[in-house]
Amino acid sequence: MPRFFVQPSAISGDTVTLTGDNARHAAYSLRLAVGDHVTVCCDRVAYECKLVAFDGETVAGRIQSSAPADTEPPYVAHLYQALPKGDKLDTVIQKAVECGVSSVTPFESSRCIVRCKPEAEARKTERRARIAEEAAKQCGRGIIPTVYPTVSFASAMDSVASCDLVLFCYEGENTRSLKAILTENATRFSNTIAEGRAPEIAIVVGSEGGFSPDEAAEAAARGYAMTNLGRRILRTETAAGVVLSCLIYELEL
């Protein structure tokens, strides 16, 4: 069933109104018609709607039923991805959204080959947000994960400090296995979920060259969980998906 995301202002009583790109996509790309059914998501609630009117600019649907979106994980995962080369970040965002991430924040680390260009950042962030939205629609998410503008390594380290667990992915020495870290935190996470709060987990992934020893030392000094991802060195575009898959196994399946 086609899926759309709207703001609360689009819902009035038992009517949902699609406008802008949503309306054009429904009317012209999907060629939907009066009587067709769609899913409209707003604030983690999924509304099953029957389309009742098209007027060229808007599409109106009548709400048939609603329920909390059941496709969201019981935790909130924030991905901090160091800028990779080429279009790898597009793939990272798409797959991370499919795996349940709630936000993606690109950042610059010392070993990044690609650097943020301020004059192009707004355009790139908008494009990345569209990738996240399309992925969310395709895989049936209850929200559109947020894609933030690129930040510095220092800003990323400050930002993750409020999370319940920070997984700093590092292939150097003095790391622990991801399995051990998740097992150690499993009971705490389960209790937090049972209390009605979603634990927040940050995943920090380096670029093609990984992190410098100084960056790793800073993360360790802050008390972040220094984790390796097994015996093989993963590409930067693979790492986030592996970590998110492990979270799915540990906390969802």
Side-chain angles (χ1 to χ4, degrees):
M1 188 180 297
R3 180 173 293 249
F4 299 88
F5 293 90
V6 300
Q7 297 297 317
S9 58
I11 301 175
S12 178
D14 64 350
T15 300
V16 174
T17 303
L18 303 180
T19 59
D21 289 342
N22 276 337
R24 287 188 288 273
H25 186 60
Y28 302 112
S29 298
L30 298 178
R31 298 185 181 277
L32 298 176
V34 170
D36 287 339
H37 289 78
V38 300
T39 299
V40 177
C41 293
C42 178
D43 286 346
R44 296 179 181 265
V45 176
Y47 298 88
E48 303 303 322
C49 303
K50 180 179 180 180
L51 300 183
V52 295
F54 291 71
D55 70 2
E57 296 295 328
T58 63
V59 176
R62 192 82 66 212
I63 297 173
Q64 307 292 296
S65 63
S66 65
D70 61 2
T71 55
E72 290 305 303
Y75 51 87
V76 177
H78 302 289
L79 172 61
Y80 288 77
Q81 171 70 53
L83 289 173
K85 295 185 294 185
D87 60 357
K88 293 177 183 178
L89 184 56
D90 296 353
T91 301
V92 170
I93 292 171
Q94 182 187 68
K95 301 310 175 186
V97 170
E98 291 177 23
C99 290
V101 81
S102 291
S103 72
V104 179
T105 304
F107 68 92
E108 284 188 355
S109 62
S110 64
R111 293 183 176 177
C112 284
I113 296 173
V114 174
R115 294 292 166 177
C116 173
K117 297 180 180 179
E119 68 276 11
E121 187 62 18
R123 173 178 55 81
K124 288 185 176 182
T125 301
E126 182 179 356
R127 180 175 59 79
R128 293 163 184 165
R130 288 198 301 269
I131 291 170
E133 180 175 0
E134 290 304 315
K137 290 178 179 178
Q138 181 275 324
C139 69
R141 292 289 299 270
I143 63 167
I144 301 174
T146 303
V147 180
Y148 291 103
T150 304
V151 299
S152 66
F153 176 79
S155 293
M157 289 296 94
D158 289 340
S159 181
V160 300
S162 61
C163 292
D164 297 288
L165 176 66
V166 180
L167 298 169
F168 191 91
C169 302
Y170 185 56
E171 70 278 8
E173 298 179 350
N174 300 316
T175 63
R176 300 176 63 203
S177 73
L178 180 59
K179 179 179 180 180
I181 293 170
L182 294 182
T183 299
E184 180 182 272
N185 287 273
T187 300
R188 179 165 67 99
F189 286 161
S190 296
N191 291 339
T192 301
I193 293 170
E195 293 168 0
R197 184 177 74 83
E200 295 200 40
I201 303 170
I203 303 163
V204 186
V205 177
S207 62
E208 289 83 357
F211 292 107
S212 70
D214 287 345
E215 289 168 337
E218 179 179 343
R222 287 173 175 259
Y224 300 155
M226 309 299 290
T227 181
N228 63 73
L229 301 182
R231 298 178 181 179
R232 293 166 293 281
I233 301 298
L234 303 180
R235 291 179 180 271
T236 183
E237 65 268 31
T238 307
V242 168
V243 177
L244 287 164
S245 296
C246 291
L247 291 179
I248 292 171
Y249 178 79
E250 186 69 34
L251 298 173
E252 287 193 73
L253 298 182

